[in-house]
Amino acid sequence: MTDHLAKAVARRRTFAIISHPDAGKTTLTEKLLLFGGAIQLAGEVKAKKDRMQTRSDWMKIERDRGISVVTSVMTFEYGDHVFNLLDTPGHEDFADDTYRTLTAVDAAIMVIDAAKGIEPRTLKLFEVCRLRDIPIVTFVNKLDRESRDPFEILDEVEEKLALDTAPMTWPIGRGRTFAGTYHLADNAVRRMDSEEEVTKVNGPEADSAAGLLPENDREAFIEETSLAMEACRPFDLEAFREGHLTPVYFGSALRNYGVRDLINALGKYAPQPRAQKAGARMVKATDPKMTAFVFKIQANMDPNHRDRIAFVRVCSGRLQRGMKARLSRTGKMLGLSAPQFFFAHQRQLADDAYAGDVVGIPNHGTLRIGDTLTEGEDIVFEGVPNFAPEILRRVRLEDAMKAKKLKEALQQMAEEGVVQLFSPEDGSPAIVGVIGALQLDVLKERLRAEYGLPVTFEAARFNVCRWISADSDADVEKFVNAKRGDIARDLDGDAVFLASDGFSLNYEAERWPAIRFAHVKEYH
Ligand code: G4P
């Protein structure tokens, strides 16, 4: 391990922001990028979001519905660190995209609206983070508005998420009286009007703490902070890194407040790029040979190029422009001639990337979600999941002559992760599967706009889909032969069992005890 590599790895922090729509993720992203110097003016992320939404027709869907479908990555430097922020779509219909993105981060910021507490989408996303023990820093946002009692919010996090909390700061006032935060461990105050400075004080009673509040509120503030200092759990780095405890910061993304605390916390406490499991081997971030995996494919980043970008997370070594990498799925070598970094509003050729970095690799369909790249070693990273679709449909073409074109288009969409595609063993037309109905809208619009294929969807007789496996291949074969009409193959050729409902699935599961029916498939 070279010193240079170890230093590069130690500087990196790769994270995502999880929240319920409207809690303030876009605003916070913008402020983080602003601190990182990645953008000059607040408002650019939103402006960019608007611009992107006009870029191609299918994105019209998200504009019309006011949602963000696009996942992207933003890299910025702040202090001694390089931050890679992976953005995730807010809408639950694109949940599988979000889950896959969360496999590529080492930490997350959870944004909670101070008036609303834990909302359903936050809970769901938190559960995904928990599956991977991703450490979470909590940001309680919108303190400049009427908010709930901070103790109540902490209790709710503990109860609903079964996650210990350690308040790091405490709000001085709330709503109209919000004047700053009190740093509990070091008795210091960050004032609303001077975000730059943290000033040591003698205690919450000090003029520069309680004194910032109207007289009527001072007593309550002193009581609250004293109680928080005495009764709340202190921050414990190990518990945080293991995903059992979250440090909590209060602030207002809109008013640019508390954001610096957050970014400092990520730099100071969040882990550097973690070791990743590849079969029996743990690949350390500082291992000298380059390894990486694809967690997302995005088409039409630039309509002038009709290119496809595979987003890869580097797991070890150094990814260099011009190097050749081995694609584990095929064993073939692939030239990385133009890997790219993404900033707030530009991409740039990436000459070098290290563990934790996310680079985009332009390609024409060679790379798929879940693919592993190495310098020659034959390993496959675990952990980019595929969830069984909740909605299954047959695609109906208006022009039957274009069946071959449709097949190709669906294959491409499936490789991008827009939909899942299943080819029935009995030769009947392919079935597409999605997690949320909006994904069907995106599919329909893209088939029309990009391939000139107007389609409609028809209910299939199946509503449930499970990947099947068994200890012995003979058992799988026996089941497949017996159930041929209900078996289909996914993109990788793996067999799924299709059932009309949960009842028939359970019925078959009881009759075929040797067969495992999985609703999550890890790419391998
Ligand atoms: P999201 O990405 O999580 O969906 O949330 P976003 O940042 O878009 O914020 C949702 C709304 O909440 C926006 O208002 C935003 O201005 C507001 N907001 C975010 N952070 C704060 C905060 O700290 N304090 C207050 N008071 N408001 C905050 P909007 O009216 O929906 O949109 P806009 O048109 O004003 O941007």
Side-chain angles (χ1 to χ4, degrees):
M1 173 183 42
T2 66
D3 203 29
H4 175 74
L5 183 59
K7 276 195 187 132
V9 168
R11 289 181 70 204
R12 276 154 172 87
R13 299 289 181 272
T14 302
F15 71 104
I17 302 178
I18 60 170
S19 62
H20 192 84
D22 245 25
K25 189 174 73 165
T26 309
T27 313
L28 178 63
T29 302
E30 190 161 278
K31 298 301 161 74
L32 289 170
L33 294 180
L34 196 63
F35 277 117
I39 52 176
Q40 262 65 52
L41 289 169
E44 291 199 20
V45 174
K46 196 165 179 345
K48 181 183 172 236
K49 204 158 105 181
D50 294 344
R51 258 202 320 280
M52 286 175 79
Q53 285 167 351
T54 57
R55 276 203 320 207
S56 74
D57 267 347
W58 72 271
M59 285 181 184
K60 190 168 170 294
I61 294 171
E62 54 174 52
R63 196 181 54 219
D64 290 351
R65 302 187 189 219
I67 53 170
S68 162
V69 181
V70 179
T71 307
S72 52
V73 49
M74 287 156 275
T75 299
F76 60 96
E77 284 191 49
Y78 178 79
D80 294 334
H81 295 102
V82 175
F83 292 92
N84 293 303
L85 166 55
L86 276 56
D87 193 17
T88 53
H91 200 285
E92 62 185 332
D93 277 14
F94 300 95
D96 43 354
D97 202 356
T98 302
Y99 299 155
R100 287 195 291 255
T101 297
L102 290 176
T103 63
V105 302
D106 302 304
I109 294 178
M110 174 167 73
V111 182
I112 298 176
D113 184 321
K116 295 183 180 156
I118 301 287
E119 296 174 85
R121 202 75 199 107
T122 326
L123 180 63
K124 186 90 203 177
L125 290 167
F126 169 77
E127 281 165 357
V128 178
C129 291
R130 165 148 289 166
L131 282 178
R132 306 191 60 245
D133 296 326
I134 295 174
I136 308 250
V137 178
T138 300
F139 184 61
V140 181
N141 189 29
K142 307 196 186 182
L143 260 295
D144 60 321
R145 284 217 198 135
E146 278 320 304
S147 320
R148 281 161 54 179
D149 177 341
F151 284 112
E152 214 182 289
I153 297 173
L154 297 177
D155 281 349
E156 194 175 282
V157 172
E158 300 223 344
E159 270 165 37
K160 283 203 178 156
L161 308 185
L163 178 67
D164 290 345
T165 58
M168 309 298 271
T169 61
W170 202 263
I172 305 175
R174 302 192 266 284
R176 226 171 290 150
T177 61
F178 182 52
T181 48
Y182 193 85
H183 287 239
L184 297 171
D186 30 331
N187 282 311
V189 168
R190 201 195 276 287
R191 283 171 58 141
M192 185 78 177
D193 49 6
S194 65
E195 232 270 323
E196 302 275 316
E197 289 166 47
V198 184
T199 322
K200 279 260 180 205
V201 296
N202 289 331
E205 316 72 25
D207 277 353
S208 42
L212 297 173
L213 290 170
E215 209 164 322
N216 291 344
D217 299 339
R218 289 179 195 167
E219 204 54 42
F221 165 73
I222 294 167
E223 238 170 69
E224 272 182 18
T225 28
S226 310
L227 186 62
M229 284 192 265
E230 273 166 36
C232 291
R233 241 179 231 95
F235 178 66
D236 174 340
L237 185 62
E238 207 179 308
F240 163 66
R241 292 264 175 98
E242 286 169 357
H244 302 317
L245 173 141
T246 180
V248 181
Y249 294 86
F250 293 87
S252 159
L254 187 68
R255 306 283 296 270
N256 215 6
Y257 191 82
V259 181
R260 203 176 290 270
D261 288 331
L262 265 185
I263 199 163
N264 287 338
L266 280 178
K268 201 164 160 193
Y269 306 127
Q272 62 183 59
R274 56 163 76 190
Q276 305 270 346
K277 205 158 180 282
R281 173 149 133 66
M282 283 302 270
V283 177
K284 290 216 285 297
T286 48
D287 285 353
K289 297 274 190 199
M290 188 283 296
T291 61
F293 69 86
V294 179
F295 64 93
K296 182 180 173 66
I297 305 273
Q298 196 163 312
N300 292 340
M301 294 281 287
D302 181 344
N304 297 324
H305 292 109
R306 270 192 73 94
D307 57 352
R308 251 199 216 187
I309 300 276
F311 286 91
V312 311
R313 163 168 170 137
V314 181
C315 300
S316 65
R318 177 173 166 201
L319 186 148
Q320 279 175 289
R321 177 147 73 100
M323 78 189 296
K324 287 212 173 328
R326 181 182 187 276
L327 172 57
S328 291
R329 182 169 43 79
T330 61
K332 294 211 175 104
M333 297 305 280
L334 175 78
L336 306 182
S337 54
Q340 299 168 10
F341 282 133
F342 294 82
F343 301 98
H345 44 199
Q346 80 212 48
R347 0 176 174 171
Q348 202 176 77
L349 282 173
D351 288 323
D352 294 292
Y354 298 91
D357 284 341
V358 170
V359 296
I361 298 182
N363 71 105
H364 295 289
T366 322
L367 291 173
R368 288 192 195 166
I369 290 169
D371 275 345
T372 297
L373 295 173
T374 69
E375 282 189 46
E377 198 181 354
D378 188 10
I379 52 165
V380 174
F381 285 109
E382 292 175 359
V384 181
N386 212 353
F387 292 86
E390 317 241 320
I391 304 171
L392 296 164
R393 291 284 182 271
R394 286 201 204 266
V395 183
R396 221 187 126 80
L397 256 181
E398 280 174 23
D399 179 355
M401 300 297 283
K402 292 186 172 163
K404 185 158 172 269
K405 198 169 172 198
L406 176 67
K407 207 171 155 198
E408 281 168 19
L410 287 177
Q411 167 95 11
Q412 287 181 14
M413 296 285 121
E415 284 169 7
E416 273 179 45
V418 175
V419 290
Q420 295 183 56
L421 186 63
F422 302 98
S423 310
E425 286 278 274
D426 63 9
S428 57
I431 293 174
V432 295
V434 292
I435 304 281
L438 276 182
Q439 285 176 289
L440 285 178
D441 294 357
V442 169
L443 176 67
K444 185 174 176 171
E445 184 56 25
R446 287 190 58 183
L447 287 175
R448 188 194 62 74
E450 292 171 30
Y451 298 88
L453 293 169
V455 299
T456 51
F457 299 110
E458 246 174 28
R461 72 186 163 87
F462 308 112
N463 295 301
V464 179
C465 165
R466 293 288 182 270
W467 282 275
I468 50 176
S469 62
D471 289 336
S472 104
D473 288 347
D475 281 333
V476 176
E477 211 179 307
K478 214 160 106 194
F479 182 75
V480 166
N481 286 332
K483 297 274 152 206
R484 196 152 290 275
D486 303 330
I487 303 289
R489 301 273 166 187
D490 70 7
L491 206 56
D492 304 318
D494 290 330
V496 295
F497 173 64
L498 301 167
S500 54
D501 50 37
F503 178 79
S504 27
L505 173 68
N506 290 341
Y507 176 76
E508 296 300 344
E510 272 173 31
R511 288 186 55 204
W512 297 82
I515 304 290
R516 287 185 293 269
F517 297 86
H519 86 283
V520 180
K521 170 180 147 173
E522 304 256 321
Y523 283 88
H524 54 80

